[in-house]
Amino acid sequence: MVKSTKCLLIFLSILFLVEIGRSSSITGASENGIKTAVFLSPMFELEPGSVVNRYYYDIDFPRGHIAVKSFDAEVVDEAGNSIPLYETYLHHWVVVNYYQNKGIKIPKYHSNVGFRKSDYIIKGNDGPCESELSQIFGLGSETRKTSTHVPDPYGIEFGNPAEIPNGYEEKWLLNVHAIDTRGAENMLGCAECRCDLYNVTVDEYGRNLDPNYIGGLRCCYDQTRCRLKEGFQSVKRSLFLKYTVKYVDWHCSIVPVRIYIFDVTDRWKKSDGINSTHICQVEYNVPAGVTGDGGINTKSVSIILPTGGNVVYGVAHQHTGGIGSTLYGEDGRVICSSLPMYGEGNEPGNEAGYIVGMSTCHPQPGSVTISDGETLTVVSNYSSGQGHTGVMGLFYILVADSDSSTKLNSSQHAPLGIHRKMLTANFIGVMVLLGVAVLAAVIGAHLRRNQRGHNYEPIMT
Ligand SMILES: *[C@@H]1O[C@H](CO)[C@@H](O)[C@H](O)[C@H]1NC(C)=O
Ligand SMILES: *[C@@H]1O[C@H](CO)[C@@H](O)[C@H](O)[C@H]1NC(C)=O
Ligand SMILES: *[C@@H]1O[C@H](CO)[C@@H](O)[C@H](O)[C@H]1NC(C)=O
Ligand SMILES: *[C@@H]1O[C@H](CO)[C@@H](O)[C@H](O)[C@H]1NC(C)=O
């Protein structure tokens, strides 16, 4: 507490000086520290009908103690051209951070090799689907038009030396799953991993698939092939996932956030409460509509969030056919609604018929809160005019700890919110005054020291 107050004081003093210097906004000042790093994944090759589902260990990532402000990605070719979804369907990409034993040498690339428990510790997110969805970042076809921006004063913290276990270093794993649908007999069917189109009856480990499993991830694994139009031929291409990380060096004024990913297919035992084991299937099928459902397939799940706080960002992940997803609080209030944007043209980022973006929520800091132990409900809607296989219904939120002294409570957050804002304004006023006082003392001391010394020096050196 003492340390953070001191830090805040120094920070406010600097802000105060900046304010005097150019009377611009605080936002402008903090924008200046944002760094941008652009990387290419290892190369993967695709030809018509082929699939890659690769795991790249130890990918490039900004090092040091940082806070990530956004993570954007897209598929490009060797010349850097953006590749449209109807040529390379980006089923998903995910990025996971892990701690690697420093004594272990690991080849950079494996296909579907799991982690050996003693060599790695997966850091992952704070959500309930620990083994199935451990990513920090991850999207699919919607990646080009989905904002991943984490607003000020928040950031996703990495590389904190105090958190990295002794003898380990923090590293990053990238999983890319892409399907080349050039010349496909049924492009949507290939994108939805329909088993008949892949002529697959066993999974990637050679186990027989249940005949009722008609489509999904277990039919479009690495090196499978989707059926093409008779005689179609085209070139093999070298492709990359290009990813852009915006970040700032860690500073005590940044408020860290926790990441939660909820899955609408999550199954857990209510009787076991917050300690229940969660089984997240990740994907599900949408049967073609039955009369009376209004053409909408609705799937939902309720999940307990052990530790609440302020919601900073929210976004859903859906596949083609998705028409929106909402996260509700226990009292039925909307925490975030995220709607798909479908493309209407040909150019990358606007491909007709594909989900090219998901709308996001960036609530005013402190205006949307979740209580500790609150039960949340995820609702995922799909159009059932047409059947779909292997669709997803994920909800991703960033949550910051509420200040413990002014912790908001969902049943009364509106009046408390106003009260809190006033408190915050007064608090900042006091801190700025304190900052000025400290600054005056520092300058005074500096002047006195200089007077004692032999030369007169300018204050700013
Ligand atoms: C599908 O796979 C079977 C063996 O698993 C093979 O005999 C058959 O020729 C394949 N069909 C096509 C269209 O590739
Ligand atoms: C969950 O487990 C923790 C530690 O194992 C225990 O302290 C807590 O009481 C449990 N909570 C419930 C609701 O069972
Ligand atoms: C989902 O569909 C239900 C009706 O089935 C509707 O009440 C709800 O508003 C829909 N939500 C979204 C996010 O589309
Ligand atoms: C929220 O506030 C209400 C009314 O003041 C109170 O009864 C309830 O216990 C509080 N809940 C939590 C989780 O603090």
Side-chain angles (χ1 to χ4, degrees):
M1 185 61 207
V2 170
K3 194 176 156 204
S4 64
T5 307
K6 200 164 118 197
C7 171
L8 186 62
L9 254 165
I10 294 168
F11 179 64
L12 285 171
S13 309
I14 292 166
L15 279 185
F16 188 75
L17 279 182
V18 170
E19 288 299 291
I20 294 172
R22 32 167 235 182
S23 52
S24 73
S25 73
I26 289 174
T27 329
S30 64
E31 288 293 328
N32 287 343
I34 295 183
K35 299 176 185 174
T36 302
V38 183
F39 302 108
L40 289 182
S41 73
M43 185 259 281
F44 50 91
E45 286 186 319
L46 280 173
E47 57 190 8
S50 69
V51 176
V52 291
N53 184 22
R54 301 275 161 84
Y55 293 78
Y56 303 106
Y57 288 68
D58 195 10
I59 57 160
D60 292 326
F61 201 84
R63 302 291 162 185
H65 192 185
I66 59 169
V68 171
K69 300 294 289 179
S70 69
F71 190 113
D72 297 309
E74 67 160 337
V75 173
V76 298
D77 66 12
E78 279 172 311
N81 300 309
S82 301
I83 302 298
L85 292 167
Y86 50 82
E87 294 184 358
T88 300
Y89 179 73
L90 184 55
H91 186 280
H92 69 256
W93 59 268
V94 300
V95 169
V96 184
N97 63 338
Y98 61 97
Y99 299 134
Q100 182 185 310
N101 187 332
K102 278 184 184 163
I104 300 294
K105 282 244 181 330
I106 296 147
K108 279 209 168 197
Y109 159 67
H110 299 246
S111 176
N112 282 345
V113 173
F115 287 106
R116 265 191 319 210
K117 283 223 165 78
S118 56
D119 298 343
Y120 307 90
I121 301 164
I122 293 183
K123 177 83 185 311
N125 62 69
D126 292 300
C129 307
E130 268 169 58
S131 44
E132 302 93 349
L133 297 165
S134 52
Q135 68 263 29
I136 294 294
F137 307 108
L139 291 168
S141 70
E142 75 275 32
T143 191
R144 286 194 176 100
K145 289 233 167 88
T146 303
S147 165
T148 58
H149 174 66
V150 182
D152 290 337
Y154 306 103
I156 310 175
E157 184 183 8
F158 299 108
N160 182 351
E163 280 185 16
I164 301 171
N166 262 342
Y168 286 78
E169 56 192 324
E170 187 165 35
K171 293 198 176 278
W172 295 85
L173 164 71
L174 169 70
N175 168 219
V176 178
H177 187 184
I179 303 169
D180 191 327
T181 60
R182 287 177 294 167
E185 186 188 288
N186 178 344
M187 284 167 112
L188 179 62
C190 292
E192 293 187 336
C193 300
R194 267 179 40 193
C195 303
D196 58 336
L197 293 171
Y198 286 87
N199 193 24
V200 159
T201 53
V202 294
D203 71 11
E204 63 193 302
Y205 310 106
R207 298 175 303 209
N208 283 326
L209 289 169
D210 184 325
N212 294 324
Y213 188 86
I214 55 167
L217 282 164
R218 291 159 73 194
C219 285
C220 58
Y221 43 92
D222 198 53
Q223 294 182 34
T224 51
R225 284 179 178 272
C226 198
R227 192 184 305 153
L228 300 178
K229 289 179 199 145
E230 191 76 38
F232 181 87
Q233 282 192 332
S234 190
V235 290
K236 185 185 264 192
R237 290 203 290 212
S238 300
L239 302 174
F240 306 83
L241 188 79
K242 177 176 143 190
Y243 53 103
T244 303
V245 188
K246 291 198 171 164
Y247 65 103
V248 291
D249 291 325
W250 184 257
H251 188 280
C252 56
S253 66
I254 299 162
V255 181
V257 292
R258 282 171 273 123
I259 301 171
Y260 293 100
I261 302 175
F262 306 117
D263 179 1
V264 79
T265 70
D266 188 346
R267 293 293 159 261
W268 57 283
K269 266 173 52 198
K270 281 213 162 60
S271 55
D272 292 349
I274 54 171
N275 291 340
S276 170
T277 308
H278 289 251
I279 299 166
C280 302
Q281 261 116 47
V282 179
E283 56 180 11
Y284 64 104
N285 295 340
V286 172
V290 287
T291 0
D293 68 357
I296 298 178
N297 174 287
T298 296
K299 199 171 177 68
S300 67
V301 70
S302 291
I303 292 152
I304 300 168
L305 195 67
T307 313
N310 292 324
V311 179
V312 165
Y313 169 84
V315 69
H317 171 71
Q318 293 192 308
H319 288 192
T320 304
I323 51 174
S325 179
T326 302
L327 181 69
Y328 296 95
E330 194 165 328
D331 56 1
R333 73 192 187 288
V334 171
I335 291 172
C336 176
S337 244
S338 178
L339 301 175
M341 300 171 233
Y342 283 88
E344 293 171 340
N346 266 320
E347 66 280 18
N350 187 32
E351 300 91 333
Y354 292 87
I355 295 186
V356 295
M358 293 294 297
S359 71
T360 56
C361 301
H362 284 98
Q364 275 297 106
S367 66
V368 178
T369 64
I370 299 173
S371 305
D372 292 351
E374 185 169 345
T375 301
L376 308 177
T377 301
V378 181
V379 174
S380 172
N381 285 348
Y382 274 81
S383 155
S384 59
Q386 182 182 358
H388 297 282
T389 61
V391 304
M392 292 173 77
L394 304 184
F395 220 104
Y396 177 109
I397 56 170
L398 298 178
V399 178
D401 280 341
S402 333
D403 185 322
S404 53
S405 60
T406 52
K407 197 154 194 168
L408 302 183
N409 167 325
S410 63
S411 63
Q412 47 165 236
H413 61 282
L416 256 185
I418 294 162
H419 187 55
R420 201 167 102 106
K421 259 189 205 134
M422 281 158 54
L423 266 181
T424 308
N426 285 339
F427 180 68
I428 288 179
V430 168
M431 291 316 267
V432 167
L433 283 179
L434 271 174
V436 172
V438 167
L439 211 73
V442 167
I443 292 170
H446 193 93
L447 281 175
R448 278 194 300 279
R449 198 167 54 241
N450 283 331
Q451 275 162 6
R452 279 201 303 273
H454 39 274
N455 278 328
Y456 187 82
E457 289 172 44
I459 292 166
M460 307 299 275
T461 50

